[in-house]
Amino acid sequence: MARRKGPTKKGEVLVAIMKDRASWKIAREQGWYRIPVKSAPWNRPPQWIAFYQTKVFGKEAFVVRYFAKVAEIRTATRRELFPQEPSGLLSGKPYYQVMLEQIEELPEPVPCLRQRRIVFILTTMYQLRTAEEINDLYGESPLEEAMWEALKSLKIKAERQYAVQRGKQWCFLDFAVFCKQGKVNIETDGDTWHTTREQVAADKRRDNWLQTKGWRVLRFTTNEVHERMEEYCVPTIVQNINGLGGLDDKPGPLPPDPGDQLGLFDDDDTDA
């Protein structure tokens, strides 16, 4: 069933990572959540925050189930947040302390069907309440939305904004499709950004690196997405998927690539 289009206020909801039970206890009992200042993903502060629970939550893992209205966002050092901790190198680390109103539960949790790791997602309250799965929460551009609707209509299961580690940096793939004999990266290239000489060169270097890691990279322009979706984009995608043995539809976690995504949920304090 196709999703109805709703009002768009991208960024009014921040989906954040709840990576341990200690942080969840603080959110429930003390009413706040912390985000390193250097990691804050917003241009403007969110009105709401929702929580993606990681594998430590057992049966409640890999879903967005709880959310809360943001009452206030303060800045504080780690020493101020955790005065009982011994002083150390991280004591002066700056955080945003997101003060929460009452934590609520969604009528239907938003599952991550492939049990993947994520980073922050900026979404809307409409999307949070109507999403059938985690990938419905994204919506970086009209091009990506058009491609996502086309993939869903074909029942092609893709992962949006899939993170692949490249040295000390991260590549975020518009769409990652996992096949029985390989994997496909689908990119939608907006004319404003991807046609400059510098960006074309950067895209080529990125594509070459991904291909050495076993990815097939497909890039589609604005015109191709808007004007030639059915006659060109879709057949090209389907041909590549079929050439790699068809979709890998097995449920459960995706097998990690060597060096892929290993740093998003480190146990140290770099990410939370």
Side-chain angles (χ1 to χ4, degrees), residues 4-226:
R4 293 185 299 107
K5 297 296 181 183
T8 299
K9 295 180 181 178
K10 184 60 63 178
E12 68 178 351
V13 180
L14 171 67
V15 179
I17 303 159
M18 186 61 72
K19 72 174 187 176
D20 56 57
R21 294 185 182 275
S23 298
W24 182 228
K25 183 177 181 181
I26 289 172
R28 287 186 291 109
E29 297 181 2
Q30 301 181 34
W32 58 268
Y33 175 84
R34 71 188 189 275
I35 299 173
V37 169
K38 69 176 184 179
S39 302
W42 58 70
N43 292 321
R44 62 170 184 255
Q47 301 173 42
W48 302 81
I49 188 167
F51 300 109
Y52 177 72
Q53 295 172 270
T54 58
K55 62 183 179 182
V56 300
F57 288 90
K59 293 181 179 180
E60 287 199 336
F62 306 112
V63 299
V64 178
R65 185 184 303 273
Y66 300 101
F67 69 102
K69 190 172 182 60
V70 174
E72 182 184 2
I73 299 179
R74 308 169 179 171
T75 55
T77 63
R78 185 173 182 87
R79 183 184 298 107
E80 292 169 324
L81 294 176
F82 302 104
Q84 74 281 7
E85 285 187 351
S87 295
L89 293 177
L90 294 176
S91 297
K93 183 176 180 179
Y95 288 86
Y96 287 118
Q97 184 183 24
V98 183
M99 307 303 297
L100 310 174
E101 296 187 8
Q102 182 178 355
I103 293 177
E104 303 178 56
E105 186 171 354
L106 289 168
E108 295 291 335
V110 182
C112 182
L113 302 178
R114 300 303 295 261
Q115 299 182 15
R116 59 178 274 204
R117 295 172 172 88
I118 68 165
V119 291
F120 298 112
I121 303 172
L122 291 170
T123 190
T124 69
M125 182 55 70
Y126 174 83
Q127 286 175 292
L128 182 65
R129 290 187 176 278
T130 60
E132 297 174 2
E133 53 117 334
I134 200 82
N135 289 292
D136 290 326
L137 297 177
Y138 292 95
E140 298 299 315
S141 72
L143 286 182
E144 288 185 23
E145 282 297 283
M147 181 62 72
W148 177 235
E149 293 298 331
L151 294 174
K152 287 187 70 174
S153 69
L154 294 169
K155 301 189 184 305
I156 295 175
K157 295 179 180 179
E159 296 298 323
R160 304 179 74 175
Q161 295 300 305
Y162 186 78
V164 180
Q165 193 169 14
R166 182 184 179 187
K168 295 182 179 181
Q169 298 180 330
W170 295 91
C171 289
F172 289 91
L173 314 186
D174 285 356
F175 301 92
V177 179
F178 293 86
C179 305
K180 294 177 181 177
Q181 298 169 14
K183 48 202 177 182
V184 180
N185 167 213
I186 301 169
E187 295 290 319
T188 55
D189 292 345
D191 294 342
T192 302
W193 175 247
H194 288 274
T195 55
T196 67
R197 179 179 299 178
E198 294 79 8
Q199 191 57 41
V200 168
D203 287 342
K204 182 177 180 180
R205 291 192 298 270
R206 178 181 183 273
D207 292 351
N208 289 344
W209 179 83
L210 284 169
Q211 288 165 4
T212 66
K213 297 296 182 180
W215 291 87
R216 287 194 186 182
V217 182
L218 305 177
R219 289 189 174 274
F220 299 103
T221 65
T222 299
N223 177 265
E224 289 166 345
V225 171
H226 287 320

